[in-house]
């Protein structure tokens, strides 16, 4: 076969992949609009038109409400960081997030920046300081998104370069859970052997 045929097939496949990604993004933005996350849609449109950062369709967005976005200090130079710090580079439904061990650190779409996934019991699932208030907004494309109560903030524990160099994030999760378990056992033992007066 002619080698140009394979080059042509490669270019057609690449063009179709880009179209699929753009279609997924458009479908996700339509679903965001239906749930009144217009401000986040505007941010995605600006970012996508200028940076083409959003080519990966396997992504989960955590979207602050329009009211919260209006209070966020987002500079034009910080737009990409803001959107990517409110996303995880894999598509996760709420049910997937509920299966994470409490306090799990999950990488965002920004290298070295982590989101803590916490089951807040009656309040639902929290990502760092924000609570998921509208789960599973995006369902018909490969992009997933959830409405959150406020913009996500990061502290020094949210950056993976602050973890010990030889320790993986999975090891950190195990150690944290062991410490929590030890504290629970210790407090249970203290309650059990408390003298009665």
């Amino acid at each position: 076969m002619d080698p140009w045929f394979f080059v042509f097939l490669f270019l057609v496949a690449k063009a179709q992949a880009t179209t699929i990604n753009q279609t997924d993004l458009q479908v996700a933005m339509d679903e965001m609009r239906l749930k009144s996350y217009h401000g986040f849609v505007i941010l995605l449109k600006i970012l996508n038109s200028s940076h083409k950062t959003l080519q990966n369709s396997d992504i989960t967005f955590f979207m602050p409400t329009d009211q919260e976005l209006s209070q966020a200090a987002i500079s034009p130079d910080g737009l990409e960081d803001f959107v990517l710090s409110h996303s995880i580079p894999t598509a996760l439904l709420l049910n997937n997030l509920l299966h994470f061990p409490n306090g799990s650190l999950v990488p965002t779409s920004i290298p070295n920046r982590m989101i803590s996934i916490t089951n807040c019991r009656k309040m639902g699932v929290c990502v760092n300081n924000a609570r998921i208030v509208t789960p599973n907004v995006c369902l018909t494309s490969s992009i997933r998104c959830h409405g959150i109560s406020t913009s996500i903030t990061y502290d020094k524990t949210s950056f993976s370069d602050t973890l010990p160099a030889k320790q993986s994030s999975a090891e950190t999760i195990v150690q944290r859970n062991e410490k929590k378990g030890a504290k629970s056992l210790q407090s249970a033992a203290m309650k059990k052997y408390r003298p009665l007066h």
Side-chain angles (χ1 to χ4, degrees), residues 175-194:
Q175 286 179 352
R176 185 180 309 132
N177 289 340
E178 287 172 352
K179 286 179 185 177
K180 286 179 184 176
K183 286 179 184 176
S184 297
L185 287 174
Q186 191 176 31
S187 66
M190 289 176 71
K191 286 178 185 176
K192 186 176 181 180
Y193 296 108
R194 184 179 305 152

Side-chain angles (χ1 to χ4, degrees), residues 2-61:
D2 191 14
W4 290 107
F5 177 73
F6 291 109
V7 171
F8 175 73
L9 281 178
F10 173 76
L11 292 174
V12 168
K14 188 170 180 151
Q16 286 178 341
T18 302
T19 304
I20 291 169
N21 289 339
Q22 292 303 307
T23 300
D24 280 347
L25 183 60
Q26 187 59 49
V27 168
M29 289 190 298
D30 290 343
E31 290 176 315
M32 291 173 194
R33 278 190 212 96
L34 287 174
K35 296 288 184 171
S36 298
Y37 287 95
H38 303 285
F40 202 81
V41 170
I42 292 169
L43 296 180
L44 289 176
K45 288 180 111 177
I46 293 169
L47 184 61
N48 195 44
S49 68
S50 60
H51 293 89
K52 298 295 182 200
T53 306
L54 304 172
Q55 295 301 316
N56 181 12
S57 60
D58 290 331
I59 194 165
T60 301
F61 290 112

